[in-house]
Amino acid sequence: MAKAIPRIGSRRNGRMGSRKSARRIPKGVIHVQASFNNTIITITDVRGRVVSWSSAGTCGFKGTKRGTPFAAQTAAGNAIRTVVDQGMQRAEVMIKGPGLGRDAALRAIRRSGILLTFIRDVTPMPHNGCRPPKKRRI
């Protein structure tokens, strides 16, 4: 006799399977990480839970092409398309890193129709950083 497959959730309380699409988010935070080799766009709600993400690598760009502004623009467009469908209207933008995709990603976000409340650069800056290793003696 075949074993019964247990169902997650029940029909009585109205929750079946995935409920990610059911979450409506009017406001969110868009994180752009632009390194020299790749650009990663992560979109979270205001509590920091990831709603959507995309990167130049997942958009099909390979090798050095991932660091280009066009790849960043495509990645931003892909990530934003899903959250616009979920009803996001306003967003804050946090940009991190020195890469070429910074401005291109921001341009794509502006064009998407989401109202930006503020744009902040959160690139980590060392305040004279770590102590260097001691000099080699020959």
Side-chain angles (χ1 to χ4, degrees):
M1 187 170 143
K3 198 166 149 186
I5 301 164
R7 256 205 325 262
I8 297 161
S10 69
R11 286 192 191 276
R12 257 177 308 175
N13 61 13
R15 267 190 0 216
M16 251 329 257
S18 172
R19 49 179 218 269
K20 189 172 234 175
S21 58
R23 203 164 39 197
R24 302 275 298 165
I25 38 166
K27 191 170 184 234
V29 184
I30 302 171
H31 299 271
V32 179
Q33 286 180 280
S35 69
F36 291 118
N37 298 322
N38 203 354
T39 304
I40 304 166
I41 315 287
T42 311
I43 301 171
T44 66
D45 58 8
V46 282
R47 286 179 61 185
R49 296 176 296 189
V50 174
V51 180
S52 167
W53 71 276
S54 181
S55 72
T58 58
C59 292
F61 293 94
K62 293 270 192 287
T64 52
K65 293 183 186 75
R66 286 184 310 187
T68 61
F70 178 68
Q73 183 183 319
T74 311
N78 281 5
I80 287 167
R81 198 175 307 122
T82 56
V83 291
V84 169
D85 296 341
Q86 288 182 22
M88 187 184 278
Q89 290 129 9
R90 290 189 310 280
E92 304 166 355
V93 181
M94 308 288 196
I95 301 177
K96 184 190 281 186
L100 297 169
R102 293 167 57 106
D103 301 330
L106 187 58
R107 226 172 286 129
I109 293 164
R110 274 261 169 81
R111 269 205 306 269
S112 68
I114 291 177
L115 211 98
L116 303 182
T117 50
F118 70 81
I119 300 161
R120 182 180 287 172
D121 190 350
V122 289
T123 306
M125 287 285 180
H127 296 284
N128 223 1
C130 302
R131 181 175 171 161
K134 64 181 185 185
K135 296 287 178 271
R136 277 181 57 180
R137 289 192 298 272
I138 301 168

